[in-house]
Amino acid sequence: MATAREIHRHMKSVGNIGKITKAMKMVAAARLRRAQERAAASRPYAIKIKEVLSNVVSDPSILANLSAKEHPLLQHREVKKVGYLVLASDKGLAGAYSSNALKMAVAEISACEDEVVVITSGRKARDFFQRRGYNVLTSHFGYSDRPSYDNAVEIAQDAATRFAAEGFDELRIVYTIFKTALSQTPTCEKILPVEPPVKEKGKAEASFMFEPGENETLSVLAPKYLETVVYAALVQSAASELGSRMTAMSSATDNAAKLVQNLELSYNKARQASITRELNEIVGGVEALKQAQQ
């Protein structure tokens, strides 16, 4: 059984850990609101630019005038190799955020019948796939909980260059959609090549007029589409990471407080046992002296 001094030392250690987790919870909560706003602001634009580009590629007359060399992101070819862009965190202590995203990625890769290559964002994703022998083309990290548009541009340009060079024939992105601080949903979406929209009965099809021209407009719109979609996924993942970290640190702080209470009871019991033992020794010593004097 631990002594009172050992229990007291353990109580102090747990108390210090509780202070750290409480501070981490407050930091994550303070940054979560801004991350939520960025995620909410980016999503409508990403949906609209994808919708516009999808309607463009659904028009055969437009595609017929585009060259594969000038517009590689709009070209469809036979799928022999699939690329997965997987977004996870750089650091731990974020609950099941990274593990859920990685489980989703592994499930999607296992179900894919074609050859697979991986691009990772976040140290957790890089380490996970490298340890398991996957073909990791590039790794991006150092910004998972506070991504900027420049980070999205870097990833998008890397993916676009590899897609144009036929490093893979299809690109899918695995990231986590933020719903609430307690709820985040991993998802997988195909982002390259751009797919035509599903036609709905009774809904008029969109038509476009290009100024100055199709080639000039789409040469800007296609790369911007990829950057926007990647950025929207990054900010969704950042909000999910912060929400998961805040929840995890809140639970850790509560558990530390409960553990300290239990240790206090054990500490008091140990002190009482120690005091009782000392009193018994004193009484026993007094009785022994009395008997010696007699």
Side-chain angles (χ1 to χ4, degrees), residues 288-294:
L289 285 174
K290 287 182 178 178
Q291 290 179 3
Q293 289 175 355
Q294 292 175 357

Side-chain angles (χ1 to χ4, degrees), residues 43 105 115 196 203 234 236 238:
R43 191 162 181 81
E115 184 181 351
K203 186 176 181 180
L234 284 176
Q236 286 284 335

